[in-house]
Amino acid sequence: MTPTKITMNTAGQLQVPDYCYIPFIEGDGIGPDVWRASKAVMDAAISHCYKGKRKIEWVEMLAGEKAFNQTGSWLPAETLQMAKDYLVSIKGPLTTPVGGGIRSLNVALRQELDLYVCMRPVHWFQGVPSPVRHPENVDMVIFRENTEDIYAGIEFNYDDPKAKLLYEFLEVNNLANKVRFPETTSFGIKPVSKEGSQRLIRSAIQYAIDKKLPSVTLVHKGNIMKFTEGGFKNWGYELAETEFADAVYTWGQWEKTKKEQDEAAANKEMKQALSSGKVLIKDVIADNFLQQILLAPKDYSVIATLNLNGDYISDALAAAVGGIGIAPGANINYTTGHAVFEATHGTAPKFANTDTMNPSSLLLSGVMMLQYIGWNRTANTILEALKTTIKRKRVTVDFYNLMHDATLLKTSEFAQEIIKSLDNAPISELID
């Protein structure tokens, strides 16, 4: 077999050859350790499931410290071009340059490739230590808007002339009284568009419909930021009621029926809609949602939210199921097909080259990648093998320190335990 690139056809469907190229960035700090472990498991699982009929040819892309040391650039133009040309790629954690022109390499990749969905599934694996009493109740998928909000990087320090211009604009429009200390105030701008919000929410609703999940919750702070966060909520309901009218039931419909008739009629209507398989579209204020994560996680399934909210929510939910060391992530543009799957944790430089850290975040991101390209059989087999390894309490130091009677393994040894468990994991019957 000769490897070829993944492409997208005119119908917007990925075309994945049986022997395909996938670029990778190994990452900084602990990146090389967790990448080697994850790659070993994915290669072994593909071989286990497909017996040589499918294979990935891994192609390295440079970014981060390794790129800077070799090329003088933290994010070389060649890397961006490769990510564009090959569509699907995977990366380890990257250092944020200090004093450089790029605020964040991760944000730069998302914006350059217009990866508007940051997708974070949050699910508890039996046996993983958790600070909450019932982590099994947490089973959500976060759709975080990935290109707008304050992460757009429109920000000016207080001594920047542009900050003075902004203050003058506020003065002209009689808003300067809202700036308490004008001489030392820095400014940030929060762009939130209807198009950007709706393409994110559209992806979340379609995901819920495809996966037959019960609800999509719009998480926002619209009670305070009425035209940005509030716009996100309103545009979400508008989209649901126009593009997905036959497949969803919105909280707005419930309120309308309650107003026109009564609460009993509204409850009956909603019950009938949901029992027929419709997806409930609802919303919640962001700070209240951070409470609901702990108080009533069973009430939430798919979450659609803006960039900053999504950052907070992702880490809070990850903590409930064992921490970001086991939290996967994907950055996707469903229109172009571009996707970058990534570890969600940092580089932990003091543990670099120690072969001690948990590779599960990157490995589970690899599972998401395999699902994205349609290799579901391999993805599910890896999941089963990982579950088995954790149940056996043969784990890396992060879990070992929180478990009783566990066996401490290095990163590479943990990968080998998962590979051994592949032989006992049932090969998924899912059709690829």
Side-chain angles (χ1 to χ4, degrees):
M1 287 193 297
T2 301
T4 52
K5 293 179 182 178
I6 295 171
T7 58
M8 178 171 270
N9 64 20
T10 55
Q13 299 168 323
L14 284 181
Q15 303 297 294
V16 182
D18 287 338
Y19 187 15
C20 59
Y21 286 113
I22 293 185
F24 71 93
I25 298 169
E26 65 178 7
D28 299 323
I30 63 172
D33 283 348
V34 298
W35 166 248
R36 281 191 293 269
S38 300
K39 176 183 177 297
V41 174
M42 286 188 283
D43 284 343
I46 291 167
S47 175
H48 175 73
C49 290
Y50 302 121
K51 311 300 181 186
K53 294 180 180 179
R54 286 183 175 175
K55 186 179 178 183
I56 291 174
E57 184 72 23
W58 304 101
V59 185
E60 185 170 14
M61 303 188 297
L62 293 178
E65 290 180 351
K66 187 173 184 179
F68 185 77
N69 292 337
Q70 293 188 22
T71 71
S73 172
W74 291 94
L75 185 59
E78 293 82 358
T79 294
L80 284 173
Q81 193 59 51
M82 281 185 70
K84 290 176 182 177
D85 291 345
Y86 288 81
L87 289 187
V88 178
S89 56
I90 187 169
K91 58 174 282 296
L94 290 175
T95 298
T96 297
V98 177
I102 298 176
R103 288 170 178 257
S104 165
L105 294 171
N106 295 323
V107 172
L109 276 167
R110 294 167 190 166
Q111 293 184 343
E112 286 289 334
L113 297 171
D114 196 26
L115 305 173
Y116 60 86
V117 170
C118 179
M119 184 179 175
R120 299 273 182 91
V122 186
H123 174 79
W124 182 68
F125 290 88
Q126 186 177 348
V128 172
S130 167
V132 301
R133 184 171 295 178
H134 291 292
E136 70 277 7
N137 291 340
V138 179
D139 191 5
M140 303 183 208
V141 180
I142 303 161
F143 279 72
R144 168 189 172 189
E145 202 290 318
N146 220 10
T147 61
E148 298 190 316
D149 205 349
I150 62 170
Y151 288 76
I154 308 171
E155 192 176 22
F156 308 105
N157 197 36
Y158 72 93
D159 59 358
D160 189 319
K162 297 184 182 69
K164 305 299 181 186
L165 286 173
L166 274 173
Y167 182 72
E168 290 171 8
F169 170 83
L170 295 175
E171 279 187 312
V172 169
N173 289 277
N174 298 317
L175 295 169
N177 64 314
K178 296 183 181 293
V179 181
R180 293 182 180 274
F181 305 102
E183 296 303 315
T184 57
T185 294
S186 299
F187 291 95
I189 295 178
K190 178 185 177 75
V192 177
S193 69
K194 181 176 182 178
E195 292 84 355
S197 298
Q198 288 194 333
R199 67 179 182 173
L200 179 281
I201 296 165
R202 181 180 294 111
S203 300
I205 295 175
Q206 190 62 59
Y207 181 89
I209 292 170
D210 292 344
K211 302 294 183 181
K212 302 186 185 310
L213 297 174
S215 68
V216 175
T217 304
L218 310 174
V219 179
H220 61 92
K221 192 63 179 170
N223 57 327
I224 302 299
M225 291 169 276
K226 298 186 184 300
F227 304 117
T228 51
E229 303 259 344
F232 179 85
K233 180 195 79 168
N234 294 336
W235 296 325
Y237 278 127
E238 177 187 312
L239 174 84
E241 292 170 1
T242 54
E243 292 189 20
F244 296 96
D246 294 335
V248 306
Y249 181 84
T250 70
W251 191 245
Q253 290 173 270
W254 182 91
E255 290 180 324
K256 182 181 178 182
T257 302
K258 179 187 174 184
K259 183 178 180 180
E260 294 177 350
Q261 300 181 44
D262 55 37
E263 187 170 339
N267 287 339
K268 181 180 179 181
E269 178 185 76
M270 181 168 69
K271 184 177 179 180
Q272 288 175 340
L274 301 185
S275 64
S276 70
K278 288 192 174 184
V279 176
L280 175 63
I281 311 298
K282 55 186 176 176
D283 73 279
V284 64
I285 301 298
D287 47 327
N288 183 33
F289 183 67
L290 290 171
Q291 291 189 70
Q292 298 306 313
I293 286 171
L294 300 175
L295 298 175
K298 279 187 173 182
D299 292 345
Y300 301 94
S301 180
V302 177
I303 308 303
T305 191
L306 285 163
N307 213 331
L308 182 60
N309 296 333
D311 204 351
Y312 298 150
I313 290 166
S314 296
D315 280 14
L317 279 170
V321 297
I324 57 174
I326 198 167
N331 305 281
I332 302 170
N333 183 317
Y334 285 104
T335 304
T336 65
H338 288 102
V340 178
F341 298 83
E342 64 179 354
T344 60
H345 53 70
T347 58
K350 71 177 182 178
F351 297 108
N353 303 311
T354 61
D355 194 27
T356 57
M357 295 293 100
N358 190 339
S360 297
S361 175
L362 188 56
L363 176 59
L364 288 169
S365 299
V367 167
M368 292 180 71
M369 181 192 73
L370 292 165
Q371 291 168 337
Y372 183 71
I373 66 173
W375 293 12
N376 296 300
R377 188 171 299 177
T378 303
N380 279 32
T381 301
I382 292 173
L383 284 174
E384 291 302 318
L386 177 61
K387 289 177 185 177
T388 298
T389 303
I390 293 170
K391 284 180 185 177
R392 290 174 177 168
K393 297 186 178 182
R394 300 184 64 79
V395 292
T396 48
V397 65
D398 54 335
F399 291 169
Y400 173 80
N401 288 334
L402 298 170
M403 286 180 169
H404 179 66
D405 292 334
T407 300
L408 177 62
L409 300 179
K410 293 182 177 294
T411 308
S412 54
E413 293 170 338
F414 184 65
Q416 289 306 310
E417 283 294 320
I418 298 171
I419 290 169
K420 289 178 187 176
S421 297
L422 291 172
D423 291 334
N424 298 318
I427 295 178
S428 172
E429 296 302 318
L430 280 175
I431 299 173
D432 289 331

